[in-house]
Amino acid sequence: MTDYRCAVCGARSPVESLAWCCPRCHGPWDLDFTAGPVPRNSCAGRAGSLWRYEEALPLAATGATGGGPGTVSLGEGRTPLVPLTAAVTAKLDFLMPTLSFKDRGAVMLAELARRLRPRRVIADSSGNAGTSIAAYCARAGLDCTVYLPEATSPKKIEQIAAHGARPELVPGDREAAARRAHAAADEDGSFYASHSHNPYFLHGTKTYVYEVWEDLDGRLPDVLVLPAGNGTLLLGAHLAVAELHAHGLIARRPAVIAVQAAAVAPLAAAFRAGREDITPSAAAPTLAEGIAVPRPPRARQILSAVRASGGTFLTVTDDQIRAAQLDLAARGLFVEPTGAACWAAVGAHGLGDRTAVVPLCGAGAKTGLAPGA
C-alpha cells in the first residue's frame, strides 16, 4: 500500500496507521500513487466490475486482472449510457447494487478495510454513502456503524440496517453527523470510511470516466456535467481524465461543469468571486440533500479541478430540480431529486452545441418524488 499525503501541507502517514486526516493540519489525504495505462482493447474479456480497470487502481487484485478471488465486489460499475438528446447522454449510475454511484468508492474503502482488519468501520452520510458502505462492509464481513442526520430518509435508514450496519441518528444537520463520526473514528481500531476524506474513495469514483471512455470507443465528450457537494465524483473524474491524458489515451480533456443547489452553493460562490477557497455557507433546506454541503473538505481541490478543465459552476433551484425529476421520469428514468440536479442544470442553462455526459446518481425508489412534483 502507498502512503497518504496531506493535500494541504504535504505531511505523510502510512495507510496502516488508520489516521483519517492529517494530524498536523487536519487536511484530507491524497495518495502517492501513479496509475498505469488501461489497455482498452483488452477490457472486454475482464470482470464486469470496476476491478476491470485494475491498472489504474491503488488496490489491484493480486494475480488476476479484473478482480481475483476474495476481492470485495457486488458487480458494481458498467452502468449504461442512454441518450437524452442528440448531444447529451445520461450515465445510469442509479443502477448500481445499492442504487447510487457511491458504490464506486465504497467498494474501494471496503477492500482497503478488509486488508487492514480494523476493529470496526465508521461512516457518516446523508444516506447514499452510508447505504453503500453498509452493503460493502456486509460483503467484506466488517462491523460497521453509520452516523446520519435525524432527517435522513427512512428508506435509506432501513437499507443501512438491513445490511447489518448500525444506523446512529444524530440530532441536527449533516455536519453534526460528521462530528460524531470524527469522534468515533479517533478511537483505537476504527477505520473511517469517509467518502470526503479518504482518497481511495476518489480512486473508485474515477472509474465512472474510465467506463465512459471505454464505451465511447476511447473518446470522452466535450463536457462532463457533475454534481458538486463533497465533490467525490467530480474529483474522481478529474483524476481519470488526467491519467488518460498522461498515457496518451485521450487527445483532449473535457470541460467540467460542476452543479450545486442554489440554496447551498459555497463552491459556486467562490468560483464566481475568483477565490481559491470557500467562505462556508449556512446549511439550508433543499431537495438536493446529497449535495447540500456547506463546508466540503476538498473545496480547494474542487475549485482547482474545474478551473483547470476550462469549466464552470452552475446552480439550480428546487423548482428546476423538481421539473427535471419529472422530466426524467417521463423518459422512463426515475431518480432521486439530487440525481436530477445535473439534468436540471442542462435544461436551465444549456450547453450550446457541445456533447455531454450527465450522471443520474441515485434511484428515485430511495426517496420518492420531490414534494410538490
Side-chain angles (χ1 to χ4, degrees):
M1 296 178 191
T2 187
D3 283 348
Y4 289 136
R5 174 176 49 79
C6 178
V8 178
C9 73
R12 295 175 183 272
S13 177
V15 171
E16 293 85 353
S17 73
L18 299 183
W20 62 268
C21 70
C22 174
R24 181 190 298 170
C25 73
H26 304 293
W29 294 124
D30 284 339
L31 281 182
D32 279 330
F33 170 73
T34 301
V38 174
R40 183 173 59 86
N41 293 335
S42 301
C43 286
R46 297 185 176 188
S49 74
L50 62 74
W51 295 108
R52 73 198 278 115
Y53 308 114
E54 74 165 357
E55 292 90 348
L57 298 176
L59 291 174
T62 303
T65 301
T71 304
V72 176
S73 180
L74 289 168
E76 59 290 323
R78 306 303 300 133
T79 56
L81 293 170
V82 174
L84 295 177
T85 70
V88 181
T89 301
K91 186 160 174 60
L92 309 191
D93 259 26
F94 68 90
L95 298 181
M96 288 284 196
T98 76
L99 307 183
S100 92
F101 86 94
K102 296 288 176 62
D103 290 1
R104 294 186 183 278
V107 64
M108 295 296 291
L109 294 186
E111 176 62 17
L112 176 60
R114 186 186 71 83
R115 299 184 188 193
L116 295 176
R117 294 295 177 188
R119 179 171 57 86
R120 63 173 181 169
V121 174
I122 299 297
D124 61 281
S125 173
S126 59
N128 282 338
T131 60
S132 290
I133 296 296
Y136 282 91
C137 281
R139 188 70 170 176
L142 297 165
D143 183 87
C144 179
T145 300
V146 183
Y147 293 90
L148 302 153
E150 57 187 353
T152 299
S153 163
K155 293 181 180 180
K156 294 179 181 179
I157 298 170
E158 182 180 8
Q159 186 180 359
I160 289 168
H163 291 310
R166 288 178 296 279
E168 294 280 350
L169 297 184
V170 178
D173 59 12
R174 177 69 180 80
E175 292 197 327
R179 287 191 294 271
R180 284 283 300 275
H182 295 170
D186 285 334
E187 298 175 8
D188 288 343
S190 293
F191 174 82
Y192 185 24
S194 170
H195 55 291
S196 56
H197 284 86
N198 194 299
Y200 281 90
F201 197 95
L202 307 182
H203 284 273
T205 60
K206 74 183 181 185
T207 59
Y208 172 91
V209 165
Y210 276 95
E211 289 179 15
V212 172
W213 167 76
E214 182 184 353
D215 290 344
L216 295 183
D217 298 322
R219 296 176 295 107
L220 290 177
D222 299 327
V223 175
L224 293 170
V225 185
L226 297 164
N230 277 307
T232 52
L233 185 56
L234 188 154
L235 290 173
H238 179 67
L239 279 172
V241 168
E243 292 167 0
L244 289 167
H245 191 264
H247 291 301
L249 297 173
I250 55 172
R252 56 172 182 78
R253 304 184 187 210
V256 171
I257 292 181
V259 178
Q260 292 215 280
V264 185
L267 291 161
F271 183 87
R272 291 166 185 162
R275 298 195 302 267
E276 294 183 358
D277 205 349
I278 62 166
T279 299
S281 65
T286 174
L287 295 177
E289 62 180 7
I291 55 173
V293 182
R295 296 172 179 82
R298 297 184 184 271
R300 294 177 70 93
Q301 292 176 300
I302 296 166
L303 290 164
S304 176
V306 174
R307 289 190 173 108
S309 78
T312 192
F313 277 81
L314 299 176
T315 60
V316 288
T317 66
D318 277 9
D319 284 345
Q320 290 166 336
I321 291 169
R322 189 180 291 110
Q325 186 190 31
L326 288 173
D327 180 69
L328 287 167
R331 298 166 185 261
L333 302 167
F334 187 34
V335 302
E336 64 182 356
T338 300
C342 288
W343 181 234
V346 172
H349 300 279
L351 296 169
D353 58 358
R354 294 178 293 178
T355 60
V357 171
V358 173
L360 303 184
C361 295
K366 288 193 167 194
T367 59
L369 282 173

